[in-house]
Amino acid sequence: MRIFDAHFHIIDFDFPITENQGYLPPSYVVEDYQDETAHFNVLGGAIVSGSFQGFDQQYLLAALQKMGPTFCGVTQLPFSVTDQEILHLHANGVKALRFNIKRGGSEDLSKLDYFARRVYDLVGWHSELYMDAKELPEIATTIETLPAISIDHLGLSEEGLPHLLKLVDKGVYVKATGFGRVDLNVTNALKSIYEVNPDALMFGTDLPSTRAKRPFEYSDIELIQQLFDEQATDKILYSNAVKWYFD
């Protein structure tokens, strides 16, 4: 069983960490992640910038250097970032831009259309949205026309699932992550998304599961194995995300 961990965080207090909404995360450095996943067959993954890291890039570049070339970065950038800086980040393993609507720390959705196109045209990055899918109708017409978009944590809510499925049908990808933080039927969401587009789901541990009601457990992987056959499981746990980030 191959795993590409499409969503996890590295939290290193050697670099800037800012309290967000009254929350300060625990330390979770590269070695912590490697220890916690040592018994999985993790062949690569995506380090995702959190709200508490704002626009700091140094922690991410340092972590990517330690993790190696099968790992990539998902970062937050200000609208004012130069092309030169984007090219520098791309050359050092960053592959996507994150809009954290749920928690902040990133640019806001008013910048999505221009910014998502800009990074895609310049370096082929896709854009990732952390937001409740029930809010998707407000920006659905924008998302539908963008070249490459993914939604975090199964869209978070049961109310949002129908809106999410409409966008999955139009090519939007979904992170199968954070099962302990969502307010929906995870089994139904996974099966429904896969039915609409077998290429759309990308598993991630969401370690260290900051602010989640329940942190990641190995049973989250076992659930996917129980719901899907071997070929579908490999797509969700590994190949969909590898193609998304590296092809």
PDB file of all heavy atoms in Angstrom, residues 124-145:
ATOM      1  N   GLY A 124       2.443  26.699 -13.180  1.00  0.00           N
ATOM      2  CA  GLY A 124       1.617  25.495 -13.195  1.00  0.00           C
ATOM      3  C   GLY A 124       1.047  25.081 -11.848  1.00  0.00           C
ATOM      4  O   GLY A 124       0.584  23.953 -11.684  1.00  0.00           O
ATOM      5  N   TRP A 125       1.068  25.993 -10.862  1.00  0.00           N
ATOM      6  CA  TRP A 125       0.520  25.656  -9.548  1.00  0.00           C
ATOM      7  C   TRP A 125      -0.998  25.584  -9.600  1.00  0.00           C
ATOM      8  O   TRP A 125      -1.645  26.337 -10.322  1.00  0.00           O
ATOM      9  CB  TRP A 125       0.873  26.723  -8.516  1.00  0.00           C
ATOM     10  CG  TRP A 125       2.295  26.784  -8.095  1.00  0.00           C
ATOM     11  CD1 TRP A 125       3.344  26.019  -8.536  1.00  0.00           C
ATOM     12  CD2 TRP A 125       2.845  27.703  -7.131  1.00  0.00           C
ATOM     13  NE1 TRP A 125       4.496  26.403  -7.908  1.00  0.00           N
ATOM     14  CE2 TRP A 125       4.223  27.426  -7.045  1.00  0.00           C
ATOM     15  CE3 TRP A 125       2.304  28.712  -6.351  1.00  0.00           C
ATOM     16  CZ2 TRP A 125       5.064  28.134  -6.190  1.00  0.00           C
ATOM     17  CZ3 TRP A 125       3.126  29.427  -5.500  1.00  0.00           C
ATOM     18  CH2 TRP A 125       4.502  29.139  -5.422  1.00  0.00           C
ATOM     19  N   HIS A 126      -1.565  24.707  -8.776  1.00  0.00           N
ATOM     20  CA  HIS A 126      -2.999  24.789  -8.536  1.00  0.00           C
ATOM     21  C   HIS A 126      -3.232  25.552  -7.238  1.00  0.00           C
ATOM     22  O   HIS A 126      -2.288  25.864  -6.516  1.00  0.00           O
ATOM     23  CB  HIS A 126      -3.644  23.405  -8.518  1.00  0.00           C
ATOM     24  CG  HIS A 126      -3.253  22.537  -7.377  1.00  0.00           C
ATOM     25  ND1 HIS A 126      -2.195  21.651  -7.418  1.00  0.00           N
ATOM     26  CD2 HIS A 126      -3.798  22.400  -6.142  1.00  0.00           C
ATOM     27  CE1 HIS A 126      -2.115  21.014  -6.268  1.00  0.00           C
ATOM     28  NE2 HIS A 126      -3.068  21.452  -5.468  1.00  0.00           N
ATOM     29  N   SER A 127      -4.489  25.859  -6.952  1.00  0.00           N
ATOM     30  CA  SER A 127      -4.857  26.602  -5.737  1.00  0.00           C
ATOM     31  C   SER A 127      -5.766  25.748  -4.867  1.00  0.00           C
ATOM     32  O   SER A 127      -6.653  25.059  -5.374  1.00  0.00           O
ATOM     33  CB  SER A 127      -5.549  27.921  -6.096  1.00  0.00           C
ATOM     34  OG  SER A 127      -4.639  28.793  -6.731  1.00  0.00           O
ATOM     35  N   GLU A 128      -5.527  25.802  -3.551  1.00  0.00           N
ATOM     36  CA  GLU A 128      -6.258  24.981  -2.593  1.00  0.00           C
ATOM     37  C   GLU A 128      -7.080  25.876  -1.671  1.00  0.00           C
ATOM     38  O   GLU A 128      -6.580  26.886  -1.177  1.00  0.00           O
ATOM     39  CB  GLU A 128      -5.279  24.133  -1.768  1.00  0.00           C
ATOM     40  CG  GLU A 128      -4.350  23.321  -2.647  1.00  0.00           C
ATOM     41  CD  GLU A 128      -3.573  22.259  -1.892  1.00  0.00           C
ATOM     42  OE1 GLU A 128      -3.672  22.197  -0.647  1.00  0.00           O
ATOM     43  OE2 GLU A 128      -2.869  21.483  -2.554  1.00  0.00           O
ATOM     44  N   LEU A 129      -8.315  25.491  -1.429  1.00  0.00           N
ATOM     45  CA  LEU A 129      -9.219  26.286  -0.613  1.00  0.00           C
ATOM     46  C   LEU A 129      -9.591  25.529   0.653  1.00  0.00           C
ATOM     47  O   LEU A 129     -10.082  24.396   0.593  1.00  0.00           O
ATOM     48  CB  LEU A 129     -10.506  26.603  -1.384  1.00  0.00           C
ATOM     49  CG  LEU A 129     -10.367  27.207  -2.788  1.00  0.00           C
ATOM     50  CD1 LEU A 129     -11.746  27.510  -3.359  1.00  0.00           C
ATOM     51  CD2 LEU A 129      -9.523  28.469  -2.761  1.00  0.00           C
ATOM     52  N   TYR A 130      -9.360  26.182   1.800  1.00  0.00           N
ATOM     53  CA  TYR A 130      -9.845  25.648   3.072  1.00  0.00           C
ATOM     54  C   TYR A 130     -11.058  26.481   3.445  1.00  0.00           C
ATOM     55  O   TYR A 130     -10.938  27.613   3.926  1.00  0.00           O
ATOM     56  CB  TYR A 130      -8.758  25.740   4.144  1.00  0.00           C
ATOM     57  CG  TYR A 130      -9.169  25.204   5.511  1.00  0.00           C
ATOM     58  CD1 TYR A 130     -10.213  24.310   5.658  1.00  0.00           C
ATOM     59  CD2 TYR A 130      -8.490  25.604   6.655  1.00  0.00           C
ATOM     60  CE1 TYR A 130     -10.580  23.821   6.902  1.00  0.00           C
ATOM     61  CE2 TYR A 130      -8.835  25.128   7.913  1.00  0.00           C
ATOM     62  CZ  TYR A 130      -9.891  24.239   8.034  1.00  0.00           C
ATOM     63  OH  TYR A 130     -10.251  23.762   9.261  1.00  0.00           O
ATOM     64  N   MET A 131     -12.242  25.922   3.182  1.00  0.00           N
ATOM     65  CA  MET A 131     -13.486  26.634   3.447  1.00  0.00           C
ATOM     66  C   MET A 131     -14.619  25.629   3.582  1.00  0.00           C
ATOM     67  O   MET A 131     -14.497  24.481   3.148  1.00  0.00           O
ATOM     68  CB  MET A 131     -13.791  27.622   2.317  1.00  0.00           C
ATOM     69  CG  MET A 131     -14.021  26.967   0.965  1.00  0.00           C
ATOM     70  SD  MET A 131     -14.258  28.174  -0.372  1.00  0.00           S
ATOM     71  CE  MET A 131     -15.803  28.937   0.107  1.00  0.00           C
ATOM     72  N   ASP A 132     -15.693  26.051   4.197  1.00  0.00           N
ATOM     73  CA  ASP A 132     -16.876  25.213   4.298  1.00  0.00           C
ATOM     74  C   ASP A 132     -17.565  25.185   2.936  1.00  0.00           C
ATOM     75  O   ASP A 132     -17.871  26.244   2.370  1.00  0.00           O
ATOM     76  CB  ASP A 132     -17.816  25.763   5.369  1.00  0.00           C
ATOM     77  CG  ASP A 132     -18.908  24.779   5.757  1.00  0.00           C
ATOM     78  OD1 ASP A 132     -19.491  24.143   4.862  1.00  0.00           O
ATOM     79  OD2 ASP A 132     -19.179  24.644   6.973  1.00  0.00           O
ATOM     80  N   ALA A 133     -17.822  23.996   2.422  1.00  0.00           N
ATOM     81  CA  ALA A 133     -18.401  23.864   1.081  1.00  0.00           C
ATOM     82  C   ALA A 133     -19.795  24.474   0.972  1.00  0.00           C
ATOM     83  O   ALA A 133     -20.260  24.742  -0.144  1.00  0.00           O
ATOM     84  CB  ALA A 133     -18.430  22.394   0.669  1.00  0.00           C
ATOM     85  N   LYS A 134     -20.461  24.723   2.097  1.00  0.00           N
ATOM     86  CA  LYS A 134     -21.776  25.371   2.015  1.00  0.00           C
ATOM     87  C   LYS A 134     -21.648  26.794   1.483  1.00  0.00           C
ATOM     88  O   LYS A 134     -22.640  27.377   1.010  1.00  0.00           O
ATOM     89  CB  LYS A 134     -22.478  25.358   3.375  1.00  0.00           C
ATOM     90  CG  LYS A 134     -21.844  26.236   4.444  1.00  0.00           C
ATOM     91  CD  LYS A 134     -22.545  26.059   5.789  1.00  0.00           C
ATOM     92  CE  LYS A 134     -21.912  26.929   6.869  1.00  0.00           C
ATOM     93  NZ  LYS A 134     -22.484  26.649   8.208  1.00  0.00           N
ATOM     94  N   GLU A 135     -20.436  27.363   1.531  1.00  0.00           N
ATOM     95  CA  GLU A 135     -20.202  28.707   1.003  1.00  0.00           C
ATOM     96  C   GLU A 135     -19.773  28.700  -0.469  1.00  0.00           C
ATOM     97  O   GLU A 135     -19.589  29.762  -1.074  1.00  0.00           O
ATOM     98  CB  GLU A 135     -19.125  29.402   1.842  1.00  0.00           C
ATOM     99  CG  GLU A 135     -19.509  29.592   3.306  1.00  0.00           C
ATOM    100  CD  GLU A 135     -18.333  30.002   4.184  1.00  0.00           C
ATOM    101  OE1 GLU A 135     -17.260  30.305   3.634  1.00  0.00           O
ATOM    102  OE2 GLU A 135     -18.501  30.018   5.417  1.00  0.00           O
ATOM    103  N   LEU A 136     -19.628  27.511  -1.043  1.00  0.00           N
ATOM    104  CA  LEU A 136     -19.151  27.404  -2.426  1.00  0.00           C
ATOM    105  C   LEU A 136     -20.061  28.075  -3.462  1.00  0.00           C
ATOM    106  O   LEU A 136     -19.551  28.620  -4.452  1.00  0.00           O
ATOM    107  CB  LEU A 136     -18.928  25.937  -2.809  1.00  0.00           C
ATOM    108  CG  LEU A 136     -17.666  25.288  -2.250  1.00  0.00           C
ATOM    109  CD1 LEU A 136     -17.656  23.792  -2.518  1.00  0.00           C
ATOM    110  CD2 LEU A 136     -16.410  25.939  -2.841  1.00  0.00           C
ATOM    111  N   PRO A 137     -21.402  28.034  -3.298  1.00  0.00           N
ATOM    112  CA  PRO A 137     -22.238  28.669  -4.327  1.00  0.00           C
ATOM    113  C   PRO A 137     -21.886  30.118  -4.610  1.00  0.00           C
ATOM    114  O   PRO A 137     -22.048  30.595  -5.739  1.00  0.00           O
ATOM    115  CB  PRO A 137     -23.655  28.542  -3.747  1.00  0.00           C
ATOM    116  CG  PRO A 137     -23.604  27.316  -2.911  1.00  0.00           C
ATOM    117  CD  PRO A 137     -22.236  27.330  -2.289  1.00  0.00           C
ATOM    118  N   GLU A 138     -21.370  30.829  -3.599  1.00  0.00           N
ATOM    119  CA  GLU A 138     -21.018  32.245  -3.773  1.00  0.00           C
ATOM    120  C   GLU A 138     -19.872  32.437  -4.764  1.00  0.00           C
ATOM    121  O   GLU A 138     -19.763  33.507  -5.390  1.00  0.00           O
ATOM    122  CB  GLU A 138     -20.627  32.859  -2.427  1.00  0.00           C
ATOM    123  CG  GLU A 138     -21.725  32.823  -1.374  1.00  0.00           C
ATOM    124  CD  GLU A 138     -21.203  33.178   0.015  1.00  0.00           C
ATOM    125  OE1 GLU A 138     -20.206  33.919   0.099  1.00  0.00           O
ATOM    126  OE2 GLU A 138     -21.793  32.697   0.996  1.00  0.00           O
ATOM    127  N   ILE A 139     -19.020  31.420  -4.894  1.00  0.00           N
ATOM    128  CA  ILE A 139     -17.856  31.562  -5.786  1.00  0.00           C
ATOM    129  C   ILE A 139     -17.796  30.453  -6.838  1.00  0.00           C
ATOM    130  O   ILE A 139     -16.798  30.315  -7.543  1.00  0.00           O
ATOM    131  CB  ILE A 139     -16.537  31.576  -4.975  1.00  0.00           C
ATOM    132  CG1 ILE A 139     -16.399  30.309  -4.115  1.00  0.00           C
ATOM    133  CG2 ILE A 139     -16.438  32.820  -4.125  1.00  0.00           C
ATOM    134  CD1 ILE A 139     -15.020  30.124  -3.538  1.00  0.00           C
ATOM    135  N   ALA A 140     -18.862  29.672  -6.949  1.00  0.00           N
ATOM    136  CA  ALA A 140     -18.850  28.513  -7.853  1.00  0.00           C
ATOM    137  C   ALA A 140     -18.564  28.909  -9.297  1.00  0.00           C
ATOM    138  O   ALA A 140     -17.806  28.237  -9.998  1.00  0.00           O
ATOM    139  CB  ALA A 140     -20.175  27.755  -7.764  1.00  0.00           C
ATOM    140  N   THR A 141     -19.155  30.010  -9.744  1.00  0.00           N
ATOM    141  CA  THR A 141     -18.943  30.413 -11.142  1.00  0.00           C
ATOM    142  C   THR A 141     -17.489  30.794 -11.392  1.00  0.00           C
ATOM    143  O   THR A 141     -16.966  30.577 -12.486  1.00  0.00           O
ATOM    144  CB  THR A 141     -19.855  31.601 -11.521  1.00  0.00           C
ATOM    145  OG1 THR A 141     -19.691  32.650 -10.552  1.00  0.00           O
ATOM    146  CG2 THR A 141     -21.308  31.167 -11.544  1.00  0.00           C
ATOM    147  N   THR A 142     -16.823  31.340 -10.367  1.00  0.00           N
ATOM    148  CA  THR A 142     -15.391  31.637 -10.485  1.00  0.00           C
ATOM    149  C   THR A 142     -14.582  30.351 -10.525  1.00  0.00           C
ATOM    150  O   THR A 142     -13.724  30.167 -11.404  1.00  0.00           O
ATOM    151  CB  THR A 142     -14.915  32.505  -9.300  1.00  0.00           C
ATOM    152  OG1 THR A 142     -15.616  33.740  -9.319  1.00  0.00           O
ATOM    153  CG2 THR A 142     -13.414  32.759  -9.381  1.00  0.00           C
ATOM    154  N   ILE A 143     -14.843  29.458  -9.575  1.00  0.00           N
ATOM    155  CA  ILE A 143     -14.077  28.212  -9.473  1.00  0.00           C
ATOM    156  C   ILE A 143     -14.191  27.380 -10.745  1.00  0.00           C
ATOM    157  O   ILE A 143     -13.211  26.801 -11.216  1.00  0.00           O
ATOM    158  CB  ILE A 143     -14.538  27.397  -8.247  1.00  0.00           C
ATOM    159  CG1 ILE A 143     -14.116  28.105  -6.960  1.00  0.00           C
ATOM    160  CG2 ILE A 143     -13.949  25.988  -8.275  1.00  0.00           C
ATOM    161  CD1 ILE A 143     -14.600  27.416  -5.708  1.00  0.00           C
ATOM    162  N   GLU A 144     -15.379  27.336 -11.306  1.00  0.00           N
ATOM    163  CA  GLU A 144     -15.617  26.509 -12.495  1.00  0.00           C
ATOM    164  C   GLU A 144     -14.718  26.900 -13.657  1.00  0.00           C
ATOM    165  O   GLU A 144     -14.396  26.063 -14.510  1.00  0.00           O
ATOM    166  CB  GLU A 144     -17.083  26.633 -12.927  1.00  0.00           C
ATOM    167  CG  GLU A 144     -18.052  25.877 -12.032  1.00  0.00           C
ATOM    168  CD  GLU A 144     -19.500  26.194 -12.388  1.00  0.00           C
ATOM    169  OE1 GLU A 144     -19.727  26.742 -13.494  1.00  0.00           O
ATOM    170  OE2 GLU A 144     -20.391  25.894 -11.586  1.00  0.00           O
ATOM    171  N   THR A 145     -14.315  28.148 -13.710  1.00  0.00           N
ATOM    172  CA  THR A 145     -13.514  28.616 -14.850  1.00  0.00           C
ATOM    173  C   THR A 145     -12.017  28.589 -14.584  1.00  0.00           C
ATOM    174  O   THR A 145     -11.221  28.835 -15.488  1.00  0.00           O
ATOM    175  CB  THR A 145     -13.922  30.059 -15.226  1.00  0.00           C
ATOM    176  OG1 THR A 145     -13.613  30.934 -14.138  1.00  0.00           O
ATOM    177  CG2 THR A 145     -15.405  30.136 -15.538  1.00  0.00           C
TER     178      THR A 145
END
